[in-house]
Amino acid sequence: MNKLRHLLVFVCLCGLQSLWLAPAWANDEHAKPAADAHGAPAKDDHGAKKDDHGAPAKDSHGGGGGKAEKPTRTFEGQEPLFYFDSKRRPYIEPFHKTEEEEYFVCRGVIGEWFRQLMAEEANMLAAKDGLNKVTGSTCAVRLVATHHGKKLPIVSVELYVSPNVMRSCILGESCPQSRTVIMYVLNKTLYRSYFITDHERKIRRAYCLDNKSNVLAKEECWYHFFDKAAKEKPKEHH
C-alpha cells in the first residue's frame, strides 16, 4: 500500500477515535431514525426491499441465536443511516478483507437516501478543484479494526469515480482518487469529515460538514471541534 493509503488510514483512525466515544447513533435501539439534510426522514418508494439475492434484509436489532430479518423501513417507514448489528457490523459478508480491513458493498448496508446525500456532498467538495464526480453507485463500506475502547470497528464510506478506480484503491497498490466520508457525532448532531484526493494532481483536501451540508472547516471534524474547544477553554491561572 502506498504512502497515500497509509496516510488516509491514519487520518481516518484519528478522526474517528472520538466518534466511537460520542453518543451512539447507529446502534441505539431507542434512537429515532436519522433525518435527511432538510430535517425530514427520507422514505423509499415501496415497503420492504430485498437484498442483492432477493432475500429479505436482516434486522439490526434481531435477537436469538441467528440473525433476524430486518425491514428496510423502520418505525413509520423511515430508513436509517446504516444497517449494523450491535457490534457495528453489516449483515452481509465482506467482498474483500485484509488483516485490519474489511470491505462491504454499500447496497443493503447504507440507507439509499444517505448514500445519495454523501455523493452530492462529495461532488460539491470535489468541484472546488474541478475533480471528477461520483454517482454513489460505486461505493464500499470499510471497517477498520481497532483495539481501543469497546474495540468496535471504525467505519468509513468510500465513494469511487469509477469501477477501475475502486479496483485500484481496494486491490491495487495505489489509489488514484478518493472520496472518503467519516461520521462524527457531537451533542447528538451528525457531522461528516470528507477526504478528497487526486494523486495525479497532488490534491489532498479535508472538510468538515454539518448536518445541513454546510462546510464548517477545511479540516476533519475531530480537529475542528478539538481546536474550537481548546480556544474556548478558559486559561488557567498560575
Side-chain angles (χ1 to χ4, degrees):
M1 187 178 291
N2 65 4
K3 294 182 180 178
L4 174 59
R5 294 292 305 281
H6 284 299
L7 175 62
L8 182 57
V9 171
F10 173 76
V11 171
C12 291
L13 290 170
C14 294
L16 274 161
Q17 184 175 2
S18 58
L19 168 60
W20 310 131
L21 302 178
W25 54 276
N27 298 324
D28 185 356
E29 296 182 359
H30 305 291
K32 295 181 180 179
D36 64 15
H38 304 289
K43 300 182 180 180
D44 55 14
D45 295 329
H46 304 287
K49 294 180 182 177
K50 294 184 178 181
D51 64 15
D52 294 341
H53 306 289
K58 305 298 181 180
D59 188 357
S60 58
H61 304 303
K67 293 181 177 179
E69 293 183 358
K70 95 163 172 201
T72 22
R73 294 196 191 205
T74 60
F75 297 88
E76 292 128 4
Q78 301 164 355
E79 193 178 16
L81 299 177
F82 295 94
Y83 294 107
F84 287 157
D85 62 18
S86 60
K87 295 182 180 179
R88 198 174 287 133
R89 294 189 60 82
Y91 285 93
I92 60 175
E93 293 300 316
F95 67 84
H96 178 69
K97 63 188 302 184
T98 65
E99 233 177 86
E100 295 294 325
E101 300 177 330
E102 295 177 276
Y103 289 85
F104 301 80
V105 294
C106 287
R107 185 178 178 185
V109 177
I110 305 177
E112 179 64 21
W113 70 274
F114 190 51
R115 177 164 41 135
Q116 290 304 316
L117 175 63
M118 287 187 288
E120 292 171 6
E121 291 178 337
N123 289 336
M124 173 190 70
L125 299 173
K128 295 177 183 295
D129 290 296
L131 301 181
N132 296 335
K133 292 183 177 181
V134 295
T135 63
S137 59
T138 308
C139 169
V141 174
R142 181 176 62 155
L143 300 188
V144 182
T146 179
H147 307 289
H148 302 286
K150 296 181 180 179
K151 298 183 180 180
L152 295 174
I154 293 168
V155 180
S156 70
V157 178
E158 314 287 334
L159 303 166
Y160 303 97
V161 298
S162 72
N164 286 337
V165 170
M166 180 177 181
R167 189 176 301 109
S168 179
C169 290
I170 297 176
L171 303 177
E173 293 297 322
S174 65
C175 189
Q177 298 184 50
S178 68
R179 311 286 187 268
T180 297
V181 194
I182 299 171
M183 266 45 68
Y184 182 91
V185 177
L186 181 65
N187 297 328
K188 298 183 179 180
T189 301
L190 177 66
Y191 300 90
R192 293 178 278 279
S193 292
Y194 277 82
F195 301 93
I196 311 293
T197 71
D198 187 302
H199 181 72
E200 184 176 345
R201 294 177 56 182
K202 296 181 173 57
I203 292 175
R204 297 180 184 178
R205 310 287 188 218
Y207 298 93
C208 177
L209 272 62
D210 65 13
N211 61 344
K212 299 295 182 181
S213 301
N214 298 313
V215 177
L216 298 179
K218 293 182 178 180
E219 61 182 350
E220 61 179 292
C221 293
W222 187 86
Y223 284 122
H224 170 66
F225 286 108
F226 180 83
D227 292 341
K228 184 178 179 182
K231 292 177 181 177
E232 293 175 353
K233 184 179 179 181
K235 294 182 179 180
E236 296 181 0
H237 297 286
H238 298 285

